[in-house]
Amino acid sequence: MRKTSLDAVYELAKRDKRVVFIGSDLGIGTLKQFKAEMPERFFMEGVSEAHLVTMAAGLALEGKVVYINTIATFLTRRCFEQVCLDLSLHHTNVRLIGSGGGVVYAPLGPTHEAIEDIAIFRTLPRMTIVAPCDAEEMKRLMPQTLDWDGPMYIRLGKGGDAVVSRPELGFQIGKALLVRDGTDALIVTTGITLQPALAAAAQLGQKGIQAGVLHMHTVKPFDTEALITQAARVPAILSIEEHTVIGGLGSAVAETLAEANFITPKRFKRIGIPDVFPDKYGSQATLLARYGITAEGAAAEICRLLGR
Amino acid sequence: MTATPSALKPPPVNTVKLDERSLALRRQIVRTIERGGRGHVGSAFCLVEMLRVLYDDVLRYDATNPRWPERDRFVLSKGHGCLALYVLLAEKGFFPEAELWKFCKPDGMLGGHPEFGKIPGVEASTGSLGHGLSFSVGFALNAKIEGAKHRVFTICSDGESNEGSVWEAALSAAKHRLSNLTVLVDYNKQQSYSTTYEVLDLDPFADKWRAFGWAVEEVDGHDVAALRAAVGRAPFCADKPTAIICHTIKGKGVPFVENNLNWHHKNKVTEDEVKSLLAALEGDR
C-alpha cells in the first residue's frame, strides 16, 4: 500500500509541477526515480518532523501540493501542534502519508503503533482522514488527493494486504461504499478491517444472517448520510477498526447513531483496541486477534447483538 | 555543577536615544493597548526599530495588493510582539487605522497574535513559538525552486529559541543554503519568568547560529542606522542564511517598562498607566 501510494506521488509529480515530496529519514532508495528526475521537488529532511510539517505548510501557502511520508505516530503524536496550527488553521494542501497505521509495527512496540491517529486528527477542523483498505483502493484514492481542498491524512496499512475492494463500486473521497448488502445487521469498517468484516459477513451468511458491510475509507468528513440510510434498515450495527475504540471510527458511528434518534432502537457495539497500550509483540495479526479485531470476533459480536 | 555562570549577568545598558519616529510608533502602540485594554507591551516596544527598518527601508511590498507574488515575505515568528507589527501595517496602508482601535474586540480582526487570512500583510499565523522560522524556510525554499527573486525575513525571539523546532529549522535553512532568508533575532535577554540566563541560557548565542551554518552579525537592535546597514548587507554570505542578533531592551523607550517583567504582558492596562506611558514617550516635545 505504501509503495502504491508513493508511486502515485511520483506519477502526480511528473504531470503537475505543484507536487513536492518530503520524507523524514526514510529507507534507502525511497522514491529514487523521483529524486533523480525531479530533485528540486524531492526533500529528505531528517528526523525533524515538527519542522518539516511547518516547512511543508510554507511551501503549500506558496501554491505547492506537498506530500509528506513518515511513520504515522511521528506525524500524529509528535507533530500535533504543527498539524493543527500550520496545516489545518492555515488550510494548506499538505498530504500526510502515515506509514504503519494501527498495529502494523507490532514487533516494534507501543512507540510505533498508531492506535489513536484517527482520533487525534478527527478533532481538527478542515482535516480529511482517509484509510484505504488495500493497494487497489489506494490507487483509486491518490489521483483525487491532488486537487482536494485542505490538509489530508492518509493512513497506510501493512502492505501486501489482501485485495477486497472492488473497482466497480468506484471511489470518491468522503463517500462511503456499501460493499455488501444485508438486512439483519450492518458492519462498518475503515482501512484493512473491510477484510475481516467481509469474511464475517460470509460466515454469518452461512448461518442465515444477512450482514451488510459499509466501508468508510474516509473517516473525516464522515458520510453520515450513508451510515444513517444503511443503519435504518437493520436492528444491529457493529463498527470494527484497527484503532482505539475511543475517538475513531466507532466513535464517529456512535455519535451519528445517537443523534439519528431512530424510532426503532438499535443495538450497537464497537470492536477495536480497548483503552490500553498493546502490551505484547508478535505481529499485526496476533495483536488484532488479541483484541478480537477478526472475522470470528465480528461474527460473534453480531450474533450477540442479535441474540442468536 | 554550579549555576549557569552568566545567571547574574546584567542586561546591557542601552545608550541609543530614540528619535521622534520611534517614539511616535510606540505612542501608537500605547493607544492600541488603551483601546484593547491589554497586550504584550514590553515585547512590542523592543521590536519597533527592527520593524520600522524592515517596513521603511527593506521589504518590497504593495499594501494595496498584499498577496503580490513578488513581495518579500515577512513572518513575525515572535507573534506576541504583534502590536508593533499592527501599528506599522496600519501606517503603511495594509488596513485602516480604525482597525487598531478594535484590538482584541469581537468586531476586530487584530488579536493578541497575528493571523494569516484575516490580516492583510500577515504571511503566517504565529503565537505558538517555534513555528515562524520553519514557515520561512518553506517560503524561501519555494522561491529557490521557482527561481524567484523575492526574499524572506523573519523575527524570532530569544525565549522562542528555547524551542527545539527553531534549531530544526536552522539546520534545514543551512542545508538548503537559503541565502534568501534573513532572521532577525530579538535578543532582549528577558523571557516571561526571568532573564534568559536564568531560565535557559542561550549564550554563546551568535556562536550557536554560526555553528548551525548561518552567517551571523550582532547589532544594537535599537540603533536604526546600524540595523539598516546590517540588514542592507544581507545576505552576508552567498550560500548561507543570514542571522542578525539584535541586542535589545525589553520595553525599550519607557524607563519603568524597560526590563520590567511585569510589563511582558498586561491583561489590564489602567488609564493612569496609559497616561504615564504616553508621557514617557513624549520625548523632548
Side-chain angles (χ1 to χ4, degrees):
Chain A
M1 203 185 282
R2 174 169 176 263
K3 188 177 180 314
T4 306
S5 166
L6 296 190
D7 286 351
V9 175
Y10 164 69
E11 292 298 332
L12 292 171
K14 273 204 300 189
R15 66 178 163 95
D16 194 319
K17 283 194 179 324
R18 295 175 301 158
V19 174
V20 169
F21 177 79
I22 304 177
S24 55
D25 185 23
L26 305 177
I28 188 164
T30 303
L31 283 177
K32 197 172 159 187
Q33 217 173 338
F34 190 136
K35 187 182 178 186
E37 293 172 23
M38 299 166 279
E40 72 287 359
R41 287 186 281 140
F42 177 92
F43 299 102
M44 197 58 70
E45 285 301 295
V47 192
S48 52
E49 295 86 357
H51 162 66
L52 66 83
V53 167
T54 310
M55 183 183 100
L59 287 162
L61 288 176
E62 295 284 3
K64 296 289 186 285
V65 180
V66 187
Y67 291 78
I68 299 179
N69 175 225
T70 190
I71 290 175
T73 50
F74 307 155
L75 288 171
T76 54
R77 292 174 178 163
R78 190 183 196 94
C79 301
F80 181 70
E81 189 187 75
Q82 280 75 19
V83 173
C84 174
L85 296 182
D86 305 336
L87 303 192
S88 284
L89 179 64
H90 285 77
H91 205 139
T92 53
N93 291 328
V94 175
R95 287 72 177 99
L96 302 168
I97 304 174
S99 298
V103 292
V104 164
Y105 291 128
L108 304 182
T111 57
H112 282 58
E113 288 160 357
I115 59 170
E116 73 298 84
D117 53 337
I118 292 172
I120 289 172
F121 282 176
R122 267 189 76 220
T123 61
L124 298 178
R126 299 175 182 150
M127 179 58 75
T128 295
I129 303 172
V130 190
C133 62
D134 57 36
E136 292 301 311
E137 191 166 71
M138 180 64 81
K139 256 186 215 165
R140 292 191 278 277
L141 159 69
M142 289 305 289
Q144 295 183 25
T145 63
L146 187 61
D147 291 315
W148 186 256
D149 185 31
M152 178 185 289
Y153 174 60
I154 301 167
R155 189 192 217 216
L156 294 180
K158 187 178 180 190
D161 307 277
V163 173
V164 287
S165 66
R166 299 210 310 271
E168 67 272 21
L169 296 180
F171 184 94
Q172 198 184 333
I173 296 169
K175 292 288 172 203
L177 293 171
L178 186 66
V179 181
R180 182 183 169 120
D181 201 11
T183 49
D184 297 323
L186 179 70
I187 308 177
V188 188
T189 69
T190 193
I192 57 107
T193 58
L194 176 58
Q195 200 183 306
L198 287 171
Q203 288 174 20
L204 290 164
Q206 287 171 358
K207 292 184 184 175
I209 299 170
Q210 299 308 318
V213 176
L214 185 67
H215 180 47
M216 294 282 192
H217 48 70
T218 308
V219 185
K220 188 175 186 175
F222 196 63
D223 191 350
T224 51
E225 199 183 322
L227 176 61
I228 291 170
T229 303
Q230 295 309 319
R233 302 168 60 208
V234 296
I237 299 119
L238 177 77
S239 65
I240 178 166
E241 62 194 309
E242 186 185 5
H243 185 273
T244 169
V245 290
I246 299 172
L249 173 75
S251 292
V253 173
E255 290 155 14
T256 305
L257 294 179
E259 290 183 354
N261 295 310
F262 291 112
I263 293 164
T264 319
K266 305 289 178 190
R267 297 185 63 80
F268 172 64
K269 172 78 182 171
R270 295 166 299 161
I271 290 183
I273 297 164
D275 188 17
V276 297
F277 290 104
D279 58 350
K280 299 283 184 192
Y281 297 108
S283 66
Q284 180 189 27
T286 60
L287 277 186
L288 290 177
R290 180 170 173 76
Y291 300 115
I293 309 168
T294 57
E296 293 68 29
E301 286 297 350
I302 290 285
C303 289
R304 261 194 286 277
L305 288 172
L306 293 175
R308 307 269 286 264
Chain B
M1 188 82 183
T2 53
T4 311
S6 56
L8 300 174
K9 202 190 288 181
V13 178
N14 179 263
T15 53
V16 173
K17 188 170 161 51
L18 299 179
D19 64 10
E20 170 53 25
R21 174 152 173 71
S22 279
L23 292 170
L25 288 166
R26 284 177 173 79
R27 289 196 297 271
Q28 192 75 327
I29 291 171
V30 174
R31 288 185 205 106
T32 307
I33 291 168
E34 183 183 12
R35 307 296 179 102
R38 63 184 303 143
H40 282 89
V41 184
S43 314
F45 279 3
C46 63
L47 293 179
V48 169
E49 284 66 43
M50 282 179 246
L51 283 168
R52 72 174 259 202
V53 165
L54 286 173
Y55 279 89
D56 287 354
D57 305 308
V58 179
L59 296 174
R60 292 185 311 162
Y61 55 85
D62 176 357
T64 62
N65 180 17
R67 303 297 292 167
W68 175 44
E70 290 167 44
R71 74 196 182 278
D72 290 329
R73 274 62 165 167
F74 170 69
V75 178
L76 182 63
S77 191
K78 174 194 169 168
H80 58 284
C82 60
L83 280 162
L85 177 65
Y86 295 163
V87 163
L88 256 308
L89 289 176
E91 186 204 79
K92 298 297 182 187
F94 282 89
F95 49 78
E97 187 189 65
E99 282 297 334
L100 294 175
W101 316 141
K102 292 187 277 182
F103 176 60
C104 286
K105 299 292 185 200
D107 60 341
M109 68 174 182
L110 305 176
H113 295 101
E115 274 195 73
F116 166 78
K118 274 190 191 165
I119 308 171
V122 168
E123 302 282 353
S125 299
T126 52
S128 178
L129 296 173
H131 292 241
L133 190 53
S134 293
F135 268 116
S136 301
V137 170
F139 295 153
L141 200 51
N142 189 69
K144 202 176 160 188
I145 294 169
E146 298 300 329
K149 297 288 177 227
H150 64 259
R151 296 165 70 193
V152 183
F153 295 84
T154 310
I155 294 182
C156 291
S157 81
D158 44 13
E160 175 176 23
S161 302
N162 297 171
E163 293 281 4
S165 56
V166 169
W167 301 102
E168 292 182 6
L171 282 173
S172 175
K175 167 190 165 176
H176 294 293
R177 303 172 190 273
L178 297 178
S179 56
N180 55 352
L181 172 63
T182 297
V183 174
L184 289 87
V185 187
D186 176 19
Y187 196 16
N188 59 33
K189 292 99 186 162
Q190 304 278 332
Q191 46 195 106
S192 184
Y193 177 78
S194 179
T195 64
T196 54
Y197 307 121
E198 185 182 346
V199 177
L200 192 59
D201 198 358
L202 296 159
D203 277 347
F205 201 22
D207 287 344
K208 284 190 172 68
W209 287 91
R210 279 187 198 101
F212 274 69
W214 291 59
V216 184
E217 283 192 19
E218 297 187 68
V219 67
D220 181 330
H222 299 299
D223 184 334
V224 171
L227 273 169
R228 199 180 283 139
V231 182
R233 277 195 301 278
F236 302 148
C237 181
D239 61 355
K240 285 182 178 182
T242 298
I244 302 175
I245 311 290
C246 302
H247 292 273
T248 58
I249 301 285
K250 187 158 193 149
K252 171 69 181 173
V254 175
F256 64 87
V257 176
E258 288 184 5
N259 292 316
N260 180 351
L261 286 173
N262 292 318
W263 281 91
H264 168 75
H265 178 260
K266 281 274 187 189
N267 53 22
K268 194 168 177 9
V269 181
T270 66
E271 218 172 292
D272 285 348
E273 285 171 330
V274 168
K275 275 185 196 155
S276 307
L277 286 164
L278 288 174
L281 291 165
E282 281 305 319
D284 296 331
R285 291 192 304 162

